[in-house]
Amino acid sequence: MRPLLPALFALFLAGAGPVAASPAQPTVTVLYDAFGDAGPLRKDWGFAALVEVDGRRILFDTGNDAGVFAHNVKAAGVDLATIDTVVLSHRHADHMAGLAVVLEANPDVVVHAPQEGFGIYGSSLPSGFYRKDPSLPARQRYFDGQPPETLQFGSAWPGANFKPHAATTEIAPGVWAIITVSDVAGTRELRELSLAVRTDAGLLLVVGCSHPGLPVIVAEAAKIDPDVHLVVGGFHYVNADDAAIAGVLETLAPYEIDFIAPGHCTGEATFAALQKAYGQRYLFAGLGARLVLGEDTTAQGRRRGGDAGFSASEAVAYRALALRGDHVHGHLAHAHP
């Protein structure tokens, strides 16, 4: 394994004080998840995180419930009016339900999202996408046989400043929206957007649900910078069996990821397996965690060493949440991403 660049990962309870406007080091604050330490933030199934780097504040996903998201943002001291950019990883409700709250406070903020035909974020298609038959009378033809060159489709958030992406794009200096496409049964053809940020310590990679497979996303990120320093977010192995979990660990090993901080739909058994595999390089990233890349290898974020971040009651609640919605599908298919 290559030597680690200096880095500090510190864990704080969000809500102990307002989130700094411009932290000196790149920082990830978990604003929405179903597990974590007791504190003022409310747990619920879903994901949202605030990424702060080089004076830029990027909100990654917005959780499952607008009311819970609004509460957590307020409790964490985050001013949504100061958000520079929003990134929505994919179309599932547990990642985007709080967007209306963001737009109320910051209506002109740029929202980066995956481009999908007829998608919920809005899209457009050339009118040539459908076959035409000029033998029909005008009243039987779309647009009387004279369609506009481009058809525009609406979004669930009219007026929002969406920037759809069909390919990996540098959305700001040193910041990329990475697009991957799921080939897993249940989410096949779903496009997912991940966030890669170049830092002095290496690449910071934030993932939402990893439907296309975490190794697929890491491989795309490594094309930008093979020095992957930290991966944080949902890995989508919530119902995976031991063989599938072992498979993803084996596939990730060649990338020599410095630190890993799983959350959301990663799953309890996968938390435990990752903690065993990565040891001191496993970072607790539950609700309220604040991970700071800094000057020292000491990691308060690792202090949850023995329990993978769960109390007994949290484990029961997590299992119950894991069985809700569409997160049950397709996890066994990840054995060989």
Side-chain angles (χ1 to χ4, degrees):
M1 180 182 168
R2 65 180 182 274
L4 299 185
L5 293 177
L8 167 66
F9 292 95
L11 175 67
F12 305 96
L13 272 181
V19 175
S22 297
Q25 304 295 341
T27 302
V28 180
T29 304
V30 180
L31 299 174
Y32 208 107
D33 213 322
F35 72 102
D37 292 315
L41 277 67
R42 297 176 185 167
K43 297 170 188 172
D44 184 36
W45 189 268
F47 188 68
L50 177 64
V51 180
E52 300 171 277
V53 58
D54 293 334
R56 188 179 296 110
R57 294 161 65 82
I58 304 169
L59 179 64
F60 186 91
D61 284 340
T62 62
N64 177 65
D65 181 279
V68 174
F69 175 76
H71 169 86
N72 287 357
V73 165
K74 182 178 181 180
V78 176
D79 182 0
L80 293 176
T82 67
I83 297 297
D84 298 296
T85 307
V86 176
V87 174
L88 294 181
S89 62
H90 64 295
R91 64 177 181 249
H92 288 164
D94 57 331
H95 293 258
M96 62 185 188
L99 182 58
V101 177
V102 180
L103 295 175
E104 184 176 358
N106 197 342
D108 297 323
V109 68
V110 174
V111 182
H112 297 277
Q115 179 176 308
E116 295 183 319
F118 306 96
I120 193 169
Y121 308 118
S123 61
S124 63
L125 285 174
S127 60
F129 84 92
Y130 67 89
R131 183 182 176 186
K132 299 171 177 61
D133 188 343
S135 70
L136 290 172
R139 65 192 298 263
Q140 283 187 260
R141 302 190 65 194
Y142 300 124
F143 303 99
D144 299 318
Q146 297 180 335
E149 184 175 337
T150 301
L151 302 182
Q152 299 286 342
F153 306 108
S155 82
W157 299 271
N161 187 10
F162 282 106
K163 299 294 182 185
H165 297 283
T168 295
T169 305
E170 189 171 12
I171 61 176
V175 180
W176 287 265
I178 296 176
I179 287 290
T180 51
V181 183
S182 175
D183 193 33
V184 178
T187 59
R188 189 163 284 119
E189 298 185 359
L190 181 146
R191 293 185 176 184
E192 184 159 339
L193 191 157
S194 304
L195 183 69
V197 182
R198 180 170 282 142
T199 76
D200 291 341
L203 203 67
L204 165 63
L205 179 61
V206 186
V207 296
C209 240
S210 304
H211 288 287
L214 182 61
V216 173
I217 298 172
V218 172
E220 287 300 308
K223 293 177 183 177
I224 296 169
D225 188 341
D227 182 7
V228 181
H229 190 63
L230 169 65
V231 182
V232 56
F235 298 170
H236 208 249
Y237 289 89
V238 69
N239 272 347
D241 60 19
D242 290 346
I245 296 170
V248 74
L249 291 174
E250 181 180 359
T251 309
L252 289 176
Y255 294 100
E256 297 186 336
I257 299 166
D258 291 342
F259 293 94
I260 200 157
H264 182 42
C265 57
T266 300
E268 293 176 26
T270 314
F271 285 145
L274 287 166
Q275 191 169 31
K276 182 178 180 180
Y278 282 83
Q280 292 299 298
R281 298 182 293 124
Y282 177 101
L283 305 178
F284 178 78
L287 181 63
R290 192 172 183 219
L291 293 90
V292 183
L293 285 74
E295 301 173 349
D296 195 302
T297 54
T298 303
Q300 294 181 46
R302 298 187 230 119
R303 63 190 171 91
R304 289 281 172 181
D307 61 5
F310 281 101
S311 67
S313 61
E314 286 174 337
V316 172
Y318 191 93
R319 290 189 188 99
L321 286 163
L323 295 175
R324 284 171 30 188
D326 53 18
H327 285 271
V328 178
H329 66 257
H331 302 280
L332 301 185
H334 285 207
H336 301 288

